[in-house]
Amino acid sequence: MEILAFEVQSDEQPLLERALAGRCAVRCLEMFLDEDTAPLAAGHEVVSTGVNARLDATVLRRLADGGTRMIAQRSTGYNNIDLPAAREAGITVARVAHYSPYAVAEYAWALALAVNRRTVRAANRSREFDFRLTGLMGRDIHGMTVGVVGTGQIGTVFARIAQGFGCELLGRDVVENPECLAMGMRYVELDRLLAEADLISLHVPLLPETYHLIDARALDLMKDDAILVNTSRGGLLDAQALVDALRAGRLDGVGLDVYEEEAGLFYVDRSVGGITDDTLARLMTFPQVLISSHQGYFTRTAVGQIVDATVRNIDDYLAGRVNENTLVSP
């Protein structure tokens, strides 16, 4: 049997091929799975997808008609999959429920530190032999009040790093995490967290109730010199409202590893043709904004764990088993 894997990064491919060696063949594609590329999956019982796959009812029906019976998504989030439609189509769906929380939490801090200390601007100046310090002044992280929105595994690691810096911790989640409480985190309502925190990092899943969690009203509550970091899901943040806030001279730094319209943009080379997304283009013009292409998870450790979990999901499907990663089992 040959597995068809969509949205495979060049650094990821050898890991996937090695993990599946001796089990089955794997054909890796760089393109995303959507309505246009779904016909490529014809004849493949198992298809593996990335976070940018569009798995709505139309695509799922097309996959089922082509003989696909299992989708192994290589990500934690699955808001891109119509699960009821998958069940109706008779397709088993599995994800990767857990991988290294350190990968994303550390990257969130990398973004926070970079925008705070203007590291990218300084490096670009140095390449042009401009060694002035004008406009590069940052602030001590030590003593800041850090707001952690979502205190699951990643948010907890982020908070632990903040504790190491000597920060005051505010948290917001539907359930208080004992590990975070032991660090001295105070759980408060979201409005208070936004108003009091010097640095805010988002670590919640994208659900109907968290869509545009950070909207114009939420941004208005933040301090004018606050730092905002999002390494979770782009839809948590109203990008146009963020543009409006930045145009008004607010926020001292913004680090984004995700964007609500990233599908079809991130993981693709647009350096020649450019982009037509005016909001993303406008965000990139602000000197205090740093945007990367959803790479927070991209460490050897995390990708290795994602690949291993994906292979186990496929093995369990072929053996007629389900596990904690199974979302749909018709």
Side-chain angles (χ1 to χ4, degrees), residues 61-216:
R61 174 49 57 191
R62 187 162 294 180
L63 291 174
D65 290 345
T68 297
R69 295 294 176 263
M70 196 265 181
I71 293 172
Q73 177 137 304
R74 304 185 311 280
S75 71
T76 299
Y78 53 91
N79 55 285
N80 60 317
I81 307 174
D82 186 334
L83 297 181
R87 182 173 289 106
E88 183 179 343
I91 296 177
T92 295
V93 180
R95 60 161 176 165
V96 177
H98 304 291
Y99 58 84
S100 169
Y102 303 99
V104 179
E106 290 170 2
Y107 192 75
W109 270 108
L111 289 176
L113 293 167
V115 297
N116 176 48
R117 299 303 298 268
R118 282 61 168 158
T119 306
V120 174
R121 191 191 307 180
N124 289 338
R125 282 187 186 180
S126 296
R127 287 182 179 275
E128 297 178 357
F129 307 111
D130 179 354
F131 300 109
R132 294 172 297 168
L133 298 182
T134 304
L136 301 182
M137 183 177 288
R139 291 179 287 166
D140 285 8
I141 296 293
H142 178 81
M144 278 189 177
T145 297
V146 172
V148 186
V149 183
T151 55
Q153 291 191 53
I154 296 172
T156 299
V157 174
F158 185 88
R160 191 179 302 127
I161 297 171
Q163 184 186 38
F165 275 114
C167 300
E168 298 289 329
L169 293 172
L170 296 179
R172 175 59 188 164
D173 209 325
V174 292
V175 177
E176 296 184 359
N177 188 329
E179 188 174 346
C180 291
L181 290 171
M183 288 185 239
M185 176 180 285
R186 291 180 291 126
Y187 279 87
V188 296
E189 293 300 315
L190 181 61
D191 284 4
R192 180 177 171 187
L193 182 150
L194 297 174
E196 295 184 10
D198 301 298
L199 191 158
I200 299 160
S201 191
L202 307 180
H203 300 286
V204 295
L206 180 58
L207 304 168
E209 55 267 32
T210 60
Y211 176 72
H212 282 185
L213 181 70
I214 305 301
D215 55 11

Side-chain angles (χ1 to χ4, degrees), residues 20-41:
L20 285 168
R23 289 179 170 87
C24 53
V26 58
R27 179 184 172 202
C28 296
L29 303 176
E30 292 184 2
M31 64 188 67
F32 310 128
L33 175 57
D34 57 21
E35 188 173 355
D36 294 329
T37 60
L40 295 173

Side-chain angles (χ1 to χ4, degrees), residues 23 63 69 82 94 122 156 185 217 231 256 308 311 313 327:
R23 289 179 170 87
L63 291 174
R69 295 294 176 263
D82 186 334
T156 299
M185 176 180 285
R217 176 184 171 279
T231 54
L256 304 178
D308 289 344
V311 172
N313 291 342
L327 298 171

Side-chain angles (χ1 to χ4, degrees), residues 5-8 12 16 48-50 72-76 96 306 310:
F6 287 86
E7 202 177 325
V8 179
E12 178 187 12
L16 193 57
S48 182
T49 58
Q73 177 137 304
R74 304 185 311 280
S75 71
T76 299
V96 177
I306 290 169
T310 299

